Amino acid sequence: MPHRSLKALFLLLPTALLMTTPAFTETPPASGVTFEFAPPRWQTAICLPDDPCKTLVDSQGVLLYNLASRGGLHTRVWLDLGLKDAKPTQRLLDPRVPVVQTTRKVEGLSVCEETFAICDGKALGRDRRDVLLATVTNTSQAVQTLSPRFVVESKNDVEVLDQNKIQVVHKEIAFSTHPVARIDIVRKDTLRTGTMELIPISVGPAETVRFALVYCGGEKINAHPMTLDAVLRAREQAEQYWRHADLPYDRVVVPDTGIQALLDSAVRNIWQAREIKNGLPAFQVGPTCYRGLWIVDGSFLLEAATIIGAGDQARAGIEYMLSFQKPDGRFEVLSRYHKENGIVLWACLRHAQLTQDPKWLASVWPKLERTAAYIRTLRQETLKNDSPLDDGLMPPGNTDGGIGRNDLYEYSNVYWNLLGLKAFIGAAHWLGKEDVATEWQKEFDDFQAVFRAAVARDTRSDIHGNRFLHTLMTLEDKVLDSKDAHWYVASKGQWAFCHGVYPGQLFDKADPLVVGNLAMLRSYEKEGMVTSTGWMTGGIWNYFASFYGHAWLWNGDGAKATDSLYAMANHASPLLAWREEQCLKGQEYREVGDMPHNWASAEFIRLTVHLLALDRGSELHLFEGLPATWTRPGMTTALRKIATPFGPLTCSLKVAKNGKEAIFDLTPLSAPSCSKVVVHCGPWTGEQGRPVLELDPRKAH
């Protein structure tokens, strides 16, 4: 079907539905992203896509190496110029180019340290070299003499090699492009520190000098010396490598430069954290303590990758995830994390929908049937224990998200296994397995009825009078240790409830459970985020903003969802990544989890896309959460071949320079399952009420 602009259609519309925007005399600042609530400390990945060497740089410009089993980084490498009081500023060369620039200005000197990974086409992990390139400019009127020192500090063995190199863990090697005067090794307690003192450097007024440290790691160490010229060439090669990297950029285009930068960085960070395992891509959450497969996190990473056009790679990631199925049909990467079963069912259906591939879904159907059967087995287990609380629901298990132990009577596993069975039934209908769908609908209906009875039993009031369902069941008031009392903060563990709203679609908009729980969560908002939703009581779990924003969006409040997107953006680091959890601004700094945390990256992509395009049953709804600030004169918002259950979506909204007209372009959708496209105009045209355009997705307009 030919693609035509919808501009002609708009000229025929009643005045109330014309694509008009408020007129502005001048365009305001391009971004609402200020990083107001950024953590005071952060770390940034500079490694390559799929790189097994997950090199990080912290907010002081220190290189971090040697991941320990619990996520600690045992080796730190930095440049010491004796500038003790110099507070650095830090930036990325570009959101798509992880060259970290750390700048200090003090005592008549301007020092820029650039850290980057050498990108020379060698096999990943076999020959990996990172560079700390220092550029020092004398801003004074007198000659200055520098005595630079490169410092390698490690909990592992550190020793001198060939009198001008430092060796770590009997393998990794650091050397300088500038001549070395001496190397000292100091051993104190558990730390080993190697200090490489360079021959002094004289810098005249307005003169610039450069020197570098090269850190050699990977499976095969290449410690062949590099000249400064070679390092400078490597710096240019690295920039060109990243600017032309084959990553799924440009699928989402927004006029807010801060949001766009975070989107681009999110894509890059996901691929940097990824790794090839057993010949398949493992979409991993992070580079340190979360360097591995987590079924729930990974499923949303895979959905995000599919949405932005990397469906083939995501499919390989799903195949890797399915390889963890046990003979009895269950998934249990985390102990008694029963929800993994429901999550896998949803992830497979969602992937098949987004790629429009029922044949693939049929190919994994036997695995899904075994998983559904195991959910039934779990429900039967609840009738065999001593407590009536879980009867017909899920056995005691692991909540996660701020609530520890794996023996609790709780609802997160209930939400997700209800959600999974709903997805399984939907998959059966799609594949024409109506007998199977009918059988499992009975199971789902019974499961849901038992759940609603439990909701009636366990719903309680918070201190504001909001009627809500806590993640933990009633009896737990009597069995939890007093030290675990913080688990009863009302907002704890509510991530799974939000998932039950969306993507689960388990509840009607006016369901008292939804209304009460969202009101309760709203009462915990600070800095635009819901507090105490994770491990840090009183703190911020950054990407909960997406779970929360999606729940509001699904319930019809696109503006509230947009607020969540911007709140999440403003809690990122200035180098465009998120820590899993952090404290509120002004509090004594605490942190939890990995950084960059790439479930956060995936959630930022998902929420941005869904604000612009969200499938609701057989309908595709556009611009429910489009910020009015994205519709100012000359601005363009576009989705380019975004994966939806109705085929690839390409559309754009271009606001005229006069700010009074907008042209909306839509490429007809390929799948017959879409009954209509609904374009929401009210939130951004300034019209009263919620005017919409209803379009036939298969006709040219």
Side-chain angles (χ1 to χ4, degrees):
M1 184 171 291
H3 165 216
R4 295 182 184 176
S5 168
L6 296 179
K7 182 177 181 181
L9 172 67
F10 300 148
L11 297 178
L12 299 176
L13 291 172
T15 303
L17 293 182
L18 281 175
M19 288 290 185
T20 59
T21 62
F24 291 85
T25 56
E26 61 181 58
T27 302
S31 180
V33 180
T34 63
F35 304 109
E36 179 182 1
F37 304 111
R41 298 196 294 270
W42 56 80
Q43 55 199 40
T44 305
I46 63 170
C47 55
L48 309 181
D50 296 331
D51 199 337
C53 300
K54 305 297 186 190
T55 309
L56 297 173
V57 180
D58 76 8
S59 48
Q60 298 293 311
V62 177
L63 287 158
L64 305 174
Y65 294 99
N66 293 324
L67 172 69
S69 60
R70 294 295 296 171
L73 291 153
H74 277 185
T75 301
R76 303 170 71 245
V77 181
W78 71 91
L79 169 64
D80 180 9
L81 285 175
L83 307 178
K84 301 295 185 182
D85 298 327
K87 294 183 179 180
T89 59
Q90 198 174 65
R91 64 184 292 271
L92 286 175
L93 184 64
D94 184 273
R96 300 184 183 186
V97 182
V99 174
V100 176
Q101 298 177 324
T102 307
T103 301
R104 294 174 173 86
K105 294 182 179 180
V106 69
E107 300 174 359
L109 294 174
S110 175
V111 182
C112 178
E113 301 168 25
E114 290 190 304
T115 46
F116 61 92
I118 291 179
C119 309
D120 56 6
K122 300 287 181 67
L124 282 177
R126 293 187 58 80
D127 171 13
R128 273 283 283 103
R129 291 175 291 173
D130 300 318
V131 174
L132 192 166
L133 171 63
T135 300
V136 184
T137 301
N138 184 352
T139 58
S140 73
Q141 299 300 312
V143 174
Q144 299 210 44
T145 300
L146 306 177
S147 298
R149 302 189 308 162
F150 287 117
V151 183
V152 179
E153 179 186 86
S154 183
K155 293 182 180 180
N156 300 303
D157 288 330
V158 176
E159 53 195 0
V160 179
L161 183 68
D162 298 334
Q163 301 308 309
N164 59 4
K165 299 174 183 174
I166 293 177
Q167 188 169 51
V168 185
V169 295
H170 307 295
K171 181 180 180 184
E172 299 166 4
I173 295 171
F175 63 84
S176 170
T177 61
H178 188 77
V180 177
R182 55 180 291 178
I183 297 177
D184 293 323
I185 305 293
V186 175
R187 295 172 173 82
K188 184 177 181 180
D189 298 327
T190 60
L191 286 179
R192 308 290 185 267
T193 303
T195 302
M196 182 185 296
E197 184 177 326
L198 307 187
I199 291 175
I201 304 171
S202 293
V203 191
E207 185 181 357
T208 295
V209 297
R210 292 184 175 89
F211 52 92
L213 178 88
V214 180
Y215 194 91
C216 309
E219 180 183 335
K220 180 181 179 181
I221 302 298
N222 177 4
H224 184 74
M226 293 182 70
T227 64
L228 178 61
D229 284 345
V231 165
L232 294 174
R233 288 194 299 272
R235 160 67 175 75
E236 293 305 311
Q237 289 171 355
E239 181 176 348
Q240 292 306 309
Y241 169 87
W242 282 106
R243 291 197 185 280
H244 297 93
D246 185 19
L247 298 180
Y249 295 125
D250 300 320
R251 296 302 182 108
V252 185
V253 178
V254 301
D256 185 315
T257 57
I259 298 294
Q260 188 68 59
L262 284 162
L263 287 168
D264 289 349
S265 183
V267 172
R268 172 180 50 76
N269 272 301
I270 288 172
W271 264 258
Q272 284 177 290
R274 202 177 74 168
E275 211 162 332
I276 305 302
K277 294 185 175 180
N278 301 326
L280 295 171
F283 283 80
Q284 301 180 140
V285 175
T288 66
C289 55
Y290 293 147
R291 184 176 174 178
L293 173 74
W294 276 263
I295 296 290
V296 57
D297 312 44
S299 294
F300 286 101
L301 281 159
L302 292 165
E303 186 198 14
T306 306
I307 286 172
I308 58 176
D312 55 340
Q313 298 175 55
R315 177 162 301 177
I318 288 181
E319 296 289 352
Y320 176 70
M321 182 174 70
L322 290 174
S323 71
F324 285 82
Q325 187 174 38
K326 298 183 184 299
D328 61 3
R330 70 185 148 128
F331 289 85
E332 195 174 11
V333 174
L334 295 179
S335 175
R336 300 189 68 77
Y337 210 56
H338 307 310
K339 61 184 70 66
E340 290 179 4
N341 299 289
I343 288 167
V344 168
L345 294 176
W346 168 79
C348 288
L349 174 62
R350 184 65 173 170
H351 176 76
Q353 290 173 328
L354 292 175
T355 57
Q356 286 291 285
D357 194 348
K359 289 184 179 180
W360 173 81
L361 185 63
S363 74
V364 299
W365 181 256
K367 293 178 181 289
L368 306 187
E369 280 193 306
R370 294 202 302 275
T371 301
Y374 188 75
I375 292 175
R376 177 183 278 160
T377 298
L378 286 171
R379 294 192 66 212
Q380 293 169 348
E381 282 184 17
T382 65
L383 306 176
K384 301 175 184 177
N385 60 33
D386 295 334
S387 173
L389 281 177
D390 63 340
D391 286 1
L393 296 170
M394 283 287 116
N398 184 349
T399 303
D400 202 5
I403 299 178
R405 296 200 344 215
N406 64 4
D407 60 348
L408 300 175
Y409 295 96
E410 54 83 61
Y411 283 105
S412 71
N413 288 306
V414 176
Y415 288 128
W416 260 108
N417 282 300
L418 274 168
L419 197 167
L421 285 186
K422 182 177 179 180
F424 180 70
I425 293 164
H429 283 303
W430 192 20
L431 296 178
K433 300 178 181 293
E434 296 304 325
D435 290 345
V436 174
T438 299
E439 174 192 350
W440 282 98
Q441 186 65 50
K442 294 176 182 177
E443 182 80 22
F444 176 83
D445 291 344
D446 180 72
F447 194 178
Q448 190 173 48
V450 176
F451 167 67
R452 297 311 308 201
V455 170
R457 177 194 70 199
D458 290 342
T459 295
R460 62 190 77 177
S461 295
D462 68 7
I463 59 174
H464 304 288
N466 298 310
R467 297 289 291 167
F468 79 103
L469 182 68
H470 198 285
T471 302
L472 297 179
M473 295 180 184
T474 304
L475 185 62
E476 292 303 306
D477 286 320
K478 302 175 183 178
V479 301
L480 282 178
D481 297 332
S482 59
K483 63 183 173 61
D484 297 328
H486 64 282
W487 291 354
Y488 263 95
V489 174
S491 54
K492 288 281 184 181
Q494 294 289 351
W495 64 276
F497 154 73
C498 288
H499 287 170
V501 178
Y502 185 86
Q505 306 172 34
L506 292 174
F507 313 112
D508 293 333
K509 178 180 178 180
D511 191 313
L513 171 60
V514 175
V515 173
N517 274 25
L518 286 179
M520 175 274 294
L521 289 171
R522 196 165 197 165
S523 73
Y524 277 85
E525 286 186 26
K526 293 181 180 179
E527 301 179 355
M529 308 278 267
V530 184
T531 60
S532 300
T533 57
W535 296 105
M536 188 180 292
T537 301
I540 298 292
W541 180 7
N542 279 308
Y543 53 95
F544 184 88
S546 175
F547 310 155
Y548 187 57
H550 272 102
W552 284 106
L553 178 65
W554 186 255
N555 261 33
D557 196 336
K560 181 65 174 170
T562 297
D563 290 344
S564 285
L565 181 78
Y566 273 95
M568 184 177 175
N570 284 319
H571 283 78
S573 79
L575 272 66
L576 310 176
W578 290 271
R579 171 78 63 183
E580 181 180 23
E581 296 186 40
Q582 66 194 56
C583 58
L584 295 169
K585 186 176 181 179
Q587 294 183 346
E588 181 181 356
Y589 185 64
R590 296 173 295 149
E591 62 185 38
V592 170
D594 213 338
M595 188 176 192
H597 198 290
N598 291 303
W599 191 0
S601 300
E603 288 302 328
F604 197 78
I605 293 169
R606 293 179 66 250
L607 183 55
T608 305
V609 170
H610 291 151
L611 289 173
L612 304 177
L614 183 68
D615 52 292
R616 291 181 174 273
S618 66
E619 301 175 357
L620 181 62
H621 287 243
L622 303 181
F623 304 149
E624 283 190 81
L626 177 68
T629 54
W630 295 7
T631 60
R632 291 173 176 167
M635 289 185 171
T636 296
T637 301
L639 298 175
R640 299 170 176 167
K641 296 184 179 180
I642 290 293
T644 78
F646 312 121
L649 169 66
T650 296
C651 67
S652 66
L653 182 71
K654 299 179 181 179
V655 181
K657 291 183 179 180
N658 63 14
K660 298 180 180 179
E661 299 172 340
I663 297 175
F664 173 57
D665 244 341
L666 173 68
T667 299
L669 296 167
S670 59
S673 55
C674 186
S675 62
K676 62 184 173 183
V677 173
V678 180
V679 183
H680 293 252
C681 313
W684 48 274
T685 61
E687 298 291 338
Q688 296 297 319
R690 302 185 64 82
V692 297
L693 300 173
E694 295 188 357
L695 309 175
D696 188 324
R698 285 169 294 283
K699 286 186 178 179
H701 297 279

